[in-house]
Amino acid sequence: MPEPSAPGTTPRDSRAIPLPIVLVGPMGSGKSRVGARLASSLGAPFVDTDHRIVDRYGPIEDIFARDGEAHFRAIEREVVAEALREEAVVSLGGGAVLDADTRADLAGLAVVRLDVSPAAVAPRLTGGTRPLLADGGLERWTRIREERRPLYDEVAGLSIDTTRRSVARIVAEITEWAGGRA
């Protein structure tokens, strides 16, 4: 019987999976949910950069209200740069790819773009505190998604629509793809 692998190296029954694996995509596409499950299946840590920002600096909506989006993006850049140096599954906030240095840091890494249809994301956004959606709701989400799509496509080596796929199926797809990069 094979020995369990150390965190961040290999799953028990497959070849080495290079880390980090980075998830990008619009708000509500499932990056946190998929990332947590993927990390668990790989025996790797999971880093959600939005959660790390909240832990260090407080609620994102408060940062936006108090200091503005430019200040938030500077904080986000710092947290993302740090996370990308970790052997982990990393979920980036939807706007992290707006930073050219972040996009440069993603070059050569295993980056997966998750996407979701507007109809499927609508219930996920209801009652949220996402500052960029405060005015405009689903229409604004769709506009932001389309504006950022070329940046997601630029950095991603794999794209997955999460609309009609189970988390288990998405994790299997990412694992197979990332394992082929080893």
Side-chain angles (χ1 to χ4, degrees):
M1 177 171 221
E3 289 188 36
S5 59
T9 55
T10 59
R12 290 185 172 116
D13 60 351
S14 83
R15 62 200 146 174
I17 304 288
L19 295 173
I21 295 175
V22 185
L23 304 177
V24 300
M27 297 173 253
S29 61
K31 297 180 304 283
S32 295
R33 217 166 132 201
V34 169
R37 182 84 64 87
L38 177 62
S40 177
S41 77
L42 296 176
F46 175 59
V47 177
D48 182 312
T49 59
D50 281 350
H51 291 161
R52 192 171 274 183
I53 289 168
V54 169
D55 290 346
R56 291 183 186 172
Y57 301 98
I60 291 171
E61 61 272 16
D62 291 354
I63 298 168
F64 264 77
R66 184 183 59 242
D67 304 313
E69 184 175 357
H71 181 74
F72 170 76
R73 296 294 174 202
I75 289 169
E76 181 179 51
R77 169 66 190 138
E78 169 193 314
V79 169
V80 166
E82 172 188 291
L84 294 179
R85 292 189 297 268
E86 298 178 36
E87 289 193 9
V89 174
V90 180
S91 169
L92 301 187
V97 297
L98 296 171
D99 187 276
D101 290 334
T102 293
R103 292 192 309 275
D105 287 350
L106 291 170
L109 297 180
V111 181
V112 179
R113 175 179 69 93
L114 299 182
D115 200 5
V116 64
S117 72
V121 82
R124 301 178 195 177
L125 301 177
T126 304
T129 59
R130 301 170 192 264
L132 291 180
L133 298 181
D135 296 321
L138 188 58
E139 286 180 24
R140 175 124 167 113
W141 177 89
T142 302
R143 203 167 43 254
I144 289 169
R145 173 183 171 234
E146 292 310 310
E147 289 168 1
R148 295 176 181 172
R149 182 186 301 267
L151 300 176
Y152 297 140
D153 290 342
E154 174 187 328
V155 300
L158 175 67
S159 295
I160 299 175
D161 187 328
T162 64
T163 301
R164 289 190 174 84
R165 285 189 171 102
S166 69
V167 173
R169 184 171 165 203
I170 295 165
V171 166
E173 232 177 291
I174 295 170
T175 302
E176 181 179 334
W177 172 77
R181 296 174 49 90

